[in-house]
Amino acid sequence: MKSEPDAFSWQDLWDAPKRTTFWDGVRNYQARNLLRDDIQEGDGVLYYHSRTKVPGVVGIAQVVQAGSPDPTQFDPKEPYFDPKARREEPTWYGVHIQAQGPLDEVVSLEQLKAEPKLAQMAVVQRGQRLSVQPVTAAEWKQVLKMGQYAGAGR
DNA sequence: GCCAACGTTGGC
DNA sequence: GCCAACGTTGGC
């Protein structure tokens, strides 16, 4: 999952109540499908900082509740308000995620691109802009290894 | 249903 | 701040 640290950083998630937040505001259909249909409770999350000096994976989170309707689509005061969204059949979804722990070493986009094992990873593909992207089990392991991830709760 | 115009994303 | 990439919009 990509976030711009100016908007909501890894530290913001870490400092949040129960280190948990609802990942809302996604307004892209491909990403919506992932949030609504594919992402399951218990899935691991690579937390990625974009539009920063060194973009890359900074921490590990976990999905603690699978997809549910994103309330901001119904609220005219919200920047993510969608006048076409209907409550009977919500257009946009989000998931609840909880921070597990920071990587010992940030794994930069540059490193991701340089690692042959990650050549197929979504985030290194040209023109890839989705804010939520799939990660395979092998990619997950490799990124944690590169980040010297030492486990949760620190 | 085509496609130009426009808006957004995000690395650089 | 630039601009390539790509999604969306809307006229026709």
Side-chain angles (χ1 to χ4, degrees):
Chain A
M1 289 182 171
K2 293 185 190 172
S3 78
E4 297 186 23
D6 287 348
F8 194 83
S9 69
W10 167 259
Q11 194 62 46
D12 290 332
L13 177 60
W14 192 253
D15 293 340
K18 299 181 187 174
R19 291 178 180 159
T20 298
T21 197
F22 181 59
W23 204 254
D24 61 10
V26 174
R27 294 292 181 270
N28 170 286
Y29 284 100
Q30 250 181 293
R32 185 283 308 272
N33 291 345
L34 288 169
L35 292 168
R36 186 188 61 185
D37 306 331
D38 294 338
I39 296 175
Q40 305 294 326
E41 187 177 328
D43 281 354
V45 175
L46 299 177
Y47 200 96
Y48 180 99
H49 276 172
S50 64
R51 293 197 74 118
T52 185
K53 197 172 176 185
V54 181
V57 180
V58 296
I60 300 303
Q62 192 177 33
V63 176
V64 291
Q65 186 186 322
S68 55
D70 175 353
T72 63
Q73 69 193 301
F74 304 120
D75 185 349
K77 293 191 294 292
E78 282 286 340
Y80 296 122
F81 175 62
D82 181 351
K84 286 182 285 188
R86 295 179 301 130
R87 286 184 187 276
E88 317 83 72
E89 198 182 344
T91 309
W92 307 112
Y93 284 72
V95 299
H96 289 80
I97 63 169
Q98 180 178 45
Q100 299 295 302
L103 295 182
D104 274 0
E105 304 288 343
V106 169
V107 180
S108 68
L109 179 59
E110 193 179 4
Q111 287 173 278
L112 295 173
K113 285 179 171 170
E115 172 52 58
K117 288 178 186 167
L118 301 179
Q120 300 305 313
M121 192 173 179
V123 74
V124 305
Q125 305 308 312
R126 170 188 166 93
Q128 180 54 268
R129 297 182 309 162
L130 289 187
S131 58
V132 180
Q133 306 184 0
V135 176
T136 68
E139 289 161 357
W140 168 266
K141 275 190 187 172
Q142 180 62 28
V143 173
L144 263 57
K145 187 176 166 189
M146 291 165 75
Q148 300 172 43
Y149 184 62
R154 294 167 316 118

